[in-house]
Amino acid sequence: MDRFDERILQELKLNGRLSNVELATRIGLSPSATLRRVQELEHNKTIVGYRAILNSVKQGIEFIAYVEIGLSDHSNATQKHFELSIEGAKEVVECHNITGAKEYLLRVETTSLSAYKQFHSEVLGSIKQVQSISTSVVMDSPKDLRA
């Protein structure tokens, strides 16, 4: 990876909808050379996809929380069971296996506090391997590079 590839990644990270011609202009290469580089970055999985970033409030999401999950034991089977149990939960938009006192950190988005309470009891509370649940509610996001 050279400085042109790094510039391509930087520009696409800021705006994945840039046309190839605009991208080429911004990084200082011809459109054909830029296209070849982008295709190679996609092929070698440096670029794994493109997506739309949605306005949560416009979608009715008014409650966001980070939830730490402690499991009853640290076995692979327990972790796999937990991961499978939340895989279909639409409220869980991120799941990270983490180090420290807890095993998982979830980003949970719901329409309201009452919807989160229902998710907390009916989904998380029904997973027998879950030993502890600690919730931190997002009050504001002054910096969020995902948006």
Side-chain angles (χ1 to χ4, degrees):
M1 184 168 311
D2 62 13
R3 66 182 179 92
F4 289 110
D5 290 339
E6 290 171 359
R7 285 289 316 276
I8 288 170
L9 296 175
Q10 180 182 17
E11 293 293 337
L12 290 177
K13 188 174 180 181
L14 294 173
N15 183 357
R17 292 184 54 133
L18 280 176
S19 71
N20 185 60
V21 172
E22 178 63 26
L23 180 59
T25 301
R26 289 184 184 197
I27 67 165
L29 286 176
S30 71
S32 60
T34 301
L35 182 59
R36 279 193 303 276
R37 285 173 175 267
V38 169
Q39 289 171 335
E40 179 57 29
L41 291 166
E42 292 169 344
H43 178 73
N44 72 23
K45 304 282 191 249
T46 301
I47 297 174
V48 294
Y50 301 88
R51 65 186 177 123
I53 298 169
L54 309 177
N55 182 319
S56 297
V57 173
K58 297 239 183 211
Q59 292 184 284
I61 302 298
E62 301 207 8
F63 183 89
I64 299 170
Y66 285 90
V67 182
E68 289 183 308
I69 303 294
L71 300 178
S72 57
D73 67 72
H74 306 290
S75 70
N76 284 337
T78 296
Q79 289 183 355
K80 293 288 184 211
H81 183 271
F82 173 76
E83 291 170 10
L84 288 172
S85 297
I86 62 151
E87 191 172 279
K90 66 178 178 17
E91 298 87 352
V92 178
V93 296
E94 294 178 28
C95 174
H96 307 278
N97 184 222
I98 60 173
T99 63
K102 308 293 184 191
E103 283 75 32
Y104 288 92
L105 178 66
L106 310 178
R107 179 181 169 97
V108 177
E109 298 180 356
T110 64
T111 56
S112 64
L113 175 59
S114 62
Y116 174 72
K117 182 180 177 187
Q118 182 177 1
F119 165 78
H120 185 281
S121 61
E122 293 180 9
V123 177
L124 297 178
S126 70
I127 303 170
K128 67 180 180 177
Q129 291 85 356
V130 172
Q131 183 175 20
S132 65
I133 302 168
S134 176
T135 303
S136 296
V137 177
V138 174
M139 295 182 358
D140 191 16
S141 299
K143 181 177 181 178
D144 185 349
L145 296 178
R146 293 170 300 119

